Amino acid sequence: MASKSLVFLLAALLLVATKVSANEQGEKIEINYVKVPEPAAPIPVKAPAPPYKPPTPAPTPPTATPPPPYNPPSPPLPPVKTREDCIPLCGERCKLHSRINLCMRACTTCCGRCKCVPPGTYGNREMCGKCYTEMKTHNNKPKCP
């Protein structure tokens, strides 16, 4: 405890001594400000030039497009008599589907009821008639792929 009071006394003595010596020197500091001359007139700034627009070419007259190539109708569908006849036809219909097993199940169901599988991998549903196009799921969506 005595050492703390001794340190405090020395610090107070040092502080008083520093104040006294600073007052004795009495040096005066002067600050001189320099005046900066202002420019005579502001420098004119040029406005930016508008962006370059190339001249637009004259519109070309429309050219006649050739007619699309003739696509012959699909070959006739093989007859479907049993559910086993549906499997190869539905395999061909569903080969590009993202969910092949789901497509195969729906296709074989539709083929078994309607005795028909449309040609190709997508569309052409109307070739199998009303039975195939109007069959719906429980959510009222088309059942047959």
Side-chain angles (χ1 to χ4, degrees), residues 6-24:
L6 183 62
V7 171
F8 180 70
L9 264 170
L10 285 174
L13 181 64
L14 184 61
L15 185 65
V16 170
T18 310
K19 289 257 185 189
V20 170
S21 67
N23 286 339
E24 289 176 357

Side-chain angles (χ1 to χ4, degrees), residues 12 17 25 30 33 37 44 48 53 62-65 75 79 90 94 97 112 117-118 128 136:
Q25 289 177 0
E30 287 186 29
Y33 294 100
K53 290 182 183 175
T63 57
T65 57
C90 286
C94 296
H97 198 275
V117 175
C128 284
K136 305 283 185 193

Side-chain angles (χ1 to χ4, degrees), residues 40-52:
I43 300 171
V45 177
K46 290 184 181 179
Y52 174 72

